[in-house]
């Protein structure tokens, strides 16, 4: 019965979206956080998804997984703040390169995708239960 | 007596196909944010007509090619997106959700039909 595969596939989708949302919340928590060098400064993280095809299954089965978590390559903003305790010897601090508007949108998208997967599971569950009651 | 020799007719096959299609649509929706994923689907009517066609070849040996899913792959088609996306993904959430709901509804309809068929046969056998 393929409906059990549906549970596995949508479950993998929910798991992947959850990891993406974790990355987003880390990014949002680190908006405007300063550091003393460009290397140490926080860089926005983004999850990259990959399709996992189950070739052993007879039917088409494509779940999703997280291939990698990459860093945004935007340069960190440098600001002259000699009074800041984190400032380097030249008086500069480096701000995290998170764009909060971008993150809010990403969060919205992953939450929608997560909800869609939940709906798929709910429908599949209902149909399986109805099938089990067949002929009664 | 056709009612008892083949009571469910094409609906048995339709139920299995709808079941398989739900997996494909769920996979599309799970991969909505995967770069370069291409949405897939099957042509339900085409396959069902093939199933009810008596000229369809049987698989009588394990080396025989299964023309349904997998090997040939021509049954499993690619969906044409209405708008291209930058990351090469062709899943459109609204289309997939609509198709999934349609598939679930028709599955339920087939189930209801089978249920009434079963209760009809039971009634006939009891002679009530």
């Amino acid at each position: 019965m393929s409906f059990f595969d549906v549970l596995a596939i949508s479950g993998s989708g929910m798991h992947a979206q959850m990891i993406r949302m974790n990355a987003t919340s880390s990014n949002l928590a680190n908006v405007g956080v300063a550091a003393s060098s460009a290397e140490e400064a926080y860089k926005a993280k983004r999850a990259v998804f990959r399709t996992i095809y189950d070739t052993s299954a007879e039917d088409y089965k494509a779940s999703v997984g997280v291939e990698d978590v990459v860093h945004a390559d935007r340069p960190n903003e440098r600001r002259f703040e000699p009074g800041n305790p984190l400032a380097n010897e030249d008086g500069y601090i480096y701000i995290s390169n998170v764009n909060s508007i971008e993150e809010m949108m990403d969060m919205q998208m992953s939450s929608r995708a997560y909800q869609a997967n939940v709906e798929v599971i709910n429908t599949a569950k209902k149909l399986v239960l109805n099938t089990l009651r067949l002929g009664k | 007596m056709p009612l008892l020799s083949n009571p469910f007719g094409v609906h048995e096959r339709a139920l299995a196909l709808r079941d398989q299609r739900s997996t494909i649509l769920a996979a599309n929706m799970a991969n909505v944010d995967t770069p370069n994923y291409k949405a897939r689907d099957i042509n339900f009517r085409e396959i069902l007509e093939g199933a009810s066609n008596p000229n369809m070849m049987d698989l009588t040996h394990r080396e025989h090619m299964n023309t349904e899913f997998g090997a040939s792959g021509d049954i499993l088609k690619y969906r044409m997106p209405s708008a291209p996306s930058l990351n090469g993904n062709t899943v459109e959430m609204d289309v997939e959700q609509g198709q999934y709901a349609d598939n679930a509804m028709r599955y339920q309809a087939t189930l209801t039909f089978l249920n009434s068929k079963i209760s009809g046969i039971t009634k006939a056998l009891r002679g009530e």
Side-chain angles (χ1 to χ4, degrees):
Chain A
M1 192 128 174
S2 313
F3 277 119
F4 296 113
D5 293 340
V6 171
L7 303 187
I9 292 171
S10 296
S12 78
M14 284 161 69
H15 181 68
Q17 297 294 349
M18 207 65 228
I19 292 177
R20 182 178 170 198
M21 249 192 263
N22 274 339
T24 310
S25 57
S26 306
N27 293 346
L28 280 173
N30 283 287
V31 171
V33 170
S36 357
S37 71
E39 289 76 43
E40 279 174 54
Y42 184 86
K43 291 177 179 60
K45 287 162 181 56
R46 204 161 302 298
V48 178
F49 293 167
R50 181 174 56 103
T51 313
I52 303 164
Y53 293 103
D54 186 353
T55 44
S56 64
E58 236 174 80
D59 300 333
Y60 179 74
K61 222 179 129 184
S63 34
V64 62
V66 175
E67 166 85 355
D68 201 4
V69 178
V70 296
H71 298 285
D73 49 8
R74 261 194 308 273
N76 289 79
E77 189 201 332
R78 197 177 64 154
R79 203 180 287 164
F80 186 60
E81 258 182 48
N84 195 309
L86 284 171
N88 61 10
E89 57 269 24
D90 301 326
Y92 285 107
I93 54 164
Y94 293 83
I95 312 291
S96 71
N97 64 353
V98 178
N99 179 342
S100 55
I101 297 170
E102 213 173 80
E103 297 304 328
M104 289 305 277
M105 207 202 63
D106 205 64
M107 189 177 75
Q108 203 62 252
M109 272 168 69
S110 50
S111 125
R112 287 280 161 82
Y114 190 93
Q115 277 172 17
N117 280 314
V118 172
E119 284 304 316
V120 168
I121 287 185
N122 274 336
T123 310
K125 194 175 80 183
K126 218 159 50 193
L127 290 178
V128 169
L129 290 177
N130 284 346
T131 314
L132 289 174
R133 275 199 296 272
L134 187 66
K136 276 186 191 152
Chain B
M1 195 175 170
L3 182 68
L4 290 183
S5 63
N6 184 16
F8 302 139
V10 76
H11 294 282
E12 192 185 333
R13 176 94 186 104
L15 207 62
L17 262 181
R18 293 258 171 244
D19 186 29
Q20 281 168 334
R21 186 164 180 239
S22 72
T23 321
I24 301 170
L25 296 175
N28 288 348
M29 279 189 266
N31 282 289
V32 68
D33 291 316
T34 312
N36 294 319
Y37 179 84
K38 307 293 178 210
R40 312 293 298 265
D41 202 356
I42 53 172
N43 188 334
F44 182 83
R45 182 189 293 266
E46 215 170 69
I47 300 176
L48 202 65
E49 275 169 3
S52 57
N53 180 3
N55 297 327
M56 191 179 162
M57 283 191 283
D58 292 331
L59 304 179
T60 51
H61 189 269
R62 63 184 174 82
E63 295 285 300
H64 282 174
M65 256 198 233
N66 185 358
T67 51
E68 243 185 87
F69 287 105
S72 68
D74 56 341
I75 294 288
L76 199 58
K77 297 192 163 77
Y78 290 94
R79 199 189 297 295
M80 295 307 290
S82 60
S85 72
L86 271 179
N87 64 358
N89 187 305
T90 63
V91 179
E92 280 160 347
M93 205 44 154
D94 41 357
V95 174
E96 301 300 333
Q97 272 179 322
Q99 290 293 329
Y100 189 82
D102 177 84
N103 192 58
M105 197 187 70
R106 286 171 198 270
Y107 184 90
Q108 185 61 54
T110 309
L111 270 187
T112 311
F113 188 87
L114 285 177
N115 261 329
S116 62
K117 202 105 188 180
I118 291 171
S119 67
I121 291 173
T122 322
K123 230 178 234 168
L125 288 175
R126 285 208 187 115
E128 283 163 354

